[in-house]
Amino acid sequence: MHYSVAEHSVYVADYVVKELNRPDLELEALLHDAPEAFNGDLIRPLKYSEDFRKPFKRVERVNEIAVARRFGLIDPMPKEVKIADEAVCHTEWLQVVPRDLSEDWDVEYHNTDNKANITSAMLNPYEAKMLFLNRYAEIQKRMAMAA
């Protein structure tokens, strides 16, 4: 079983375009996790704990600024992208995260107000990479035609 940030990012871009009707934010949505390529990612229980949050957020912020500058993204990230990310994360939580039924899963580390209407395909790494790169190329082509 494999689930990648690439596949997740395409779903976030889909949500921003289709559910929030914000095609102007498609590139921001697709690249919303790009800083993780440099600072890595922490699982949500650590990312949101007081011990890890402050130092991690400082490093993450430096990389967010660098990625935004490199790709011409809106900085800070628009709230719509965060809404989409949370909706996709909620659906992933339900579809992808393995659970032992004897464990208590009452704690939520994401907003559960919205759920994305997706089925996580669990693409293999190559398929996920190609899905992401093809989407990026499509966005770049549309932006070039609009310029």
Side-chain angles (χ1 to χ4, degrees), residues 37-57:
F38 307 103
N39 54 258
D41 192 19
L42 287 176
I43 59 174
R44 285 179 181 237
L46 288 178
K47 193 174 191 176
Y48 293 107
S49 77
E50 285 303 313
D51 293 336
F52 288 90
R53 187 168 180 77
K54 281 187 178 181
F56 182 79
K57 290 306 277 180

Side-chain angles (χ1 to χ4, degrees), residues 69-85:
R69 286 182 183 160
R70 164 58 183 87
F71 292 97
L73 305 176
I74 298 169
D75 183 59
M77 189 70 61
K79 67 178 169 54
E80 292 88 351
V81 175
K82 184 65 176 169
I83 291 167
D85 186 35

Side-chain angles (χ1 to χ4, degrees), residues 62-124:
V62 167
N63 290 315
E64 287 171 350
I65 292 167
V67 169
R69 286 182 183 160
R70 164 58 183 87
F71 292 97
L73 305 176
I74 298 169
D75 183 59
M77 189 70 61
K79 67 178 169 54
E80 292 88 351
V81 175
K82 184 65 176 169
I83 291 167
D85 186 35
E86 289 291 327
V88 171
C89 282
H90 183 148
T91 300
E92 291 164 348
W93 177 258
L94 298 171
Q95 294 179 7
V96 177
V97 176
R99 292 176 181 75
D100 181 332
L101 297 178
S102 67
E103 294 177 336
D104 179 13
W105 284 84
D106 286 341
V107 176
E108 298 288 345
Y109 293 106
H110 57 272
N111 183 325
T112 58
D113 293 340
N114 297 312
K115 204 171 17 171
N117 186 19
I118 61 169
T119 300
S120 302
M122 309 288 288
L123 301 172
N124 72 49

